[in-house]
Amino acid sequence: MELAVSSARETETAATSGGLSPQQMVAIYRLMYLSRCVDDREILLKRQQKVFFQISGAGHEALQVGAALALKPGYDWFFPYYRDRALCLGLGVTPADMFLQAVGAATDPASGGRQMPTHWSSRTLHIVSTSSSTTTQLLHAVGCAEAGRYFSRHPEAAANADGDYRAFHDVEFHGDEVVFTSLGEGSTSQGEFWEALNTASNQKLPVIFCVEDNGYAISVPVEVNTPGGNISKLVANFPNFHFAEVDGTDPEACLRAFKAAAAHCRAGLGPAFVHGHVVRPYSHALSDDDKLYRATAEREADALRDPLAKMQMRLLREGVLTADEINALEKSLDLVAAEGAERALEAPLPTVKSITEHIYSEDLDPTSSDFATEQIQAQSEGTSLAGGGVAGSAKGSGPRTMADLINACLHDEMRRDPRIVIYGEDVADASRESALEEVEGKGGVFKLTAGLQREFGSERVFNSPLAEANIVGRAIGYATRGMKPVVEIQFFDYIWPAMHQIRNELALMRWRSNGAWASPTVLRVPIGGYLTGGAIYHSQSGESIFTHIPGLRVVFPSNALDANGLLRTAIRCDDPVLFLEHKRLYRETYGRAPYPGPEFAIPFGKAKIVRAGTHITLVTYGALVPRSLQAAERAHREHGIDVEVLDLRTLNPYDWEAIATSVRKTSRVIVAHEDMLSWGYGAEIAARIADELFDSLDAPVRRVGAMDTFVAYQPVLEDAILPQPETILKAIVDLRSF
Ligand SMILES: Cc1ncc(C[n+]2csc(CCOP(=O)(O)OP(=O)(O)O)c2C)c(N)n1
Ligand SMILES: [Mg+2]
């Protein structure tokens, strides 16, 4: 099999410009046939219930072989989709590997039995793990191309460094590599398709977008998804693109199209769009029957365009192979597939013990004492902040706000680590650089990124389009290449367009690829209410929605020093981190602190006792820390109740030991948060306390949270909706007398 692929590639490399040599034709047919016969064998296994899912690449083979032969595995980068069997065979994935995935073997190199078949992944070939979600991979491809360009302009950034995520992410780049990504025509309806084209076009990125147009998205015909029925017509006005629309059943036309596309990209002229018209002879998947929704005449017309049959006819017609030679070739390939399937059926299955492997990095533990540098606070005070903007004002020993110390941390870390890029909506000082000579700069709607573009330049700090999925999706692509994107979602209230990328991609990359790929990225997100007028769409909480995502770290500091130290850990760690910054706390008097120096870090999962007490434990975080402290002081003053207030600081992981130790001491506990009470973060903590600390409790576990509604604009309503110090005080007094 190895031979089949390499001979196809070698003959391709030696190709002359016009037409295909007989050798090339055979090599192409070999790959196309192999793809089809692996599909057929897998279908057989599915019918025998030996594999559990099947979706085929039938009808798409010619287009994909064209792409495979025009590009370089292990040099270029690939973000394919589930139909790309022939592409992956052409790149060097073996039929044996494919069957290992189909049976869900422990030795499945793409996912170790975690993903369905045809969810490709190979580090050596540069095939990045993709999900079942249609279109998400396009933004990863864009970020990957941006990272490649960045390294070619800043080769020094490729150097490894100990002590942070870089120790585990080697960088490869060449300067002219191309990023390939593909999707079906139905998937072009997703917003992320347009978001990806937007950035690739604007930045002239070397990405080849390949639309494999089989005319259907399951049962939905192309005209329902694409106004006018032809995606090429709709995208034709994007600047900087090379466009090609081809008969995707003709391998020669496809190869030519991809060669031209790759040449355009390698020359730095911009992205390419290859639209191939293919057929789908096997229905959508084995669970689908297209006779239910396609007319017979239409299916018969498609069958006449089957690329495999057409190529076979051509070999015969042009006298390249005789019928006997074709038979012999096909038989040998059938044998390759049969042997691959046979071996896969004997392969070891994954162990149940392995399930929890690779949810988080096993190399770099952000809870480790390596990140416990609180003691060196203030040692190097004021030594590193040469930048302007807010960072400039964070110099010196006076108390600084949370906004100041987050900005200071960003300055410090960007200086230390050239792989960091920062982008988001309005985060740059000014996109039009010439304006910087006369204006102060924007630097974020809350000014948290002020001065960063001015100090580090527009290649490292820049504005994104107004598109949240674009921000997170590209970050995943950047991280694929070993970079560290530290991106901003302007308001938590608008994180939802990125939710698909966060849950199905960012947090899953490591687990679904069985540890082969990872997305160590920081998402900084201003959150929360108490703003007086923030209303529904600038006051939301919702952290428990994200702590419910395995693979994602969630951090929620309550004061300037914690924000600085936890952000540093977030940036250096090797997992994706959602870093929640409470808007109300940005500039409060509460929790200000002197600048602690450029090495100050706080490990994740370590709560802080912000007020010691003996009668009641109050577990809280974020904006409820100062409110809980107020309530605790009044409880002491007015009722003689001594409350211990525990600031969790990080929500995933969280410090169960600290909670348990305190509850064992006080026997009474309240969990208080700003988010809505029902199904909130407190529900999990309360349930675990009831479960594991039942014997230590003298009273029921109490919770304090917002009313189960959104935050209204009118302050009278806002005050009633969100928990106030009085709400907490009442819970304390009630619980003490229980
Ligand atoms: C975001 C998302 N929505 C829905 C689905 C379910 N689904 C899987 S494939 C498919 C149709 C895709 O059609 P098209 O993009 O034309 O690709 P094709 O399968 O025809 O190659 C749908 C709706 C999905 N996987 N992801
Ligand atoms: Mg389709």
Side-chain angles (χ1 to χ4, degrees), residues 60 81 83 184-186 212-218 280:
H60 292 225
Y81 85 123
R83 292 230 188 268
E185 88 296 333
E212 305 186 18
D213 186 347
N214 56 22
Y216 276 88
I218 308 186
R280 199 192 69 179

Side-chain angles (χ1 to χ4, degrees), residues 306-388:
D306 187 321
L308 203 62
K310 279 177 35 179
M311 192 62 192
Q312 193 187 68
M313 293 301 290
R314 184 171 172 189
L315 292 175
L316 286 167
R317 197 174 57 239
E318 297 185 16
V320 176
L321 292 180
T322 64
D324 284 348
E325 284 168 336
I326 289 178
N327 271 339
L329 174 64
E330 292 180 352
K331 259 204 182 125
S332 72
L333 296 174
D334 288 341
L335 203 64
V336 169
E339 280 172 4
E342 209 54 46
R343 258 181 289 138
L345 289 168
E346 288 156 15
L349 298 185
T351 60
V352 170
K353 202 170 116 278
S354 72
I355 292 169
T356 50
E357 285 170 10
H358 307 302
I359 297 175
Y360 301 99
S361 168
E362 268 115 22
D363 300 316
L364 206 166
D365 177 7
T367 70
S368 108
S369 55
D370 293 349
F371 290 101
T373 66
E374 285 181 83
Q375 67 282 2
I376 65 164
Q377 173 188 349
Q379 230 172 41
S380 47
E381 198 172 293
T383 54
S384 90
L385 289 167

Side-chain angles (χ1 to χ4, degrees), residues 60 81-83 132-134 184-187 190 214 216-218 284 500:
H60 292 225
Y81 85 123
Y82 49 78
R83 292 230 188 268
S132 302
S133 309
T134 60
E185 88 296 333
S187 303
Q190 295 279 355
N214 56 22
Y216 276 88
I218 308 186
H284 171 72
H500 195 186

Side-chain angles (χ1 to χ4, degrees), residues 14-25:
T16 50
S17 52
L20 293 175
S21 69
Q23 235 183 335
Q24 276 181 306
M25 280 197 258

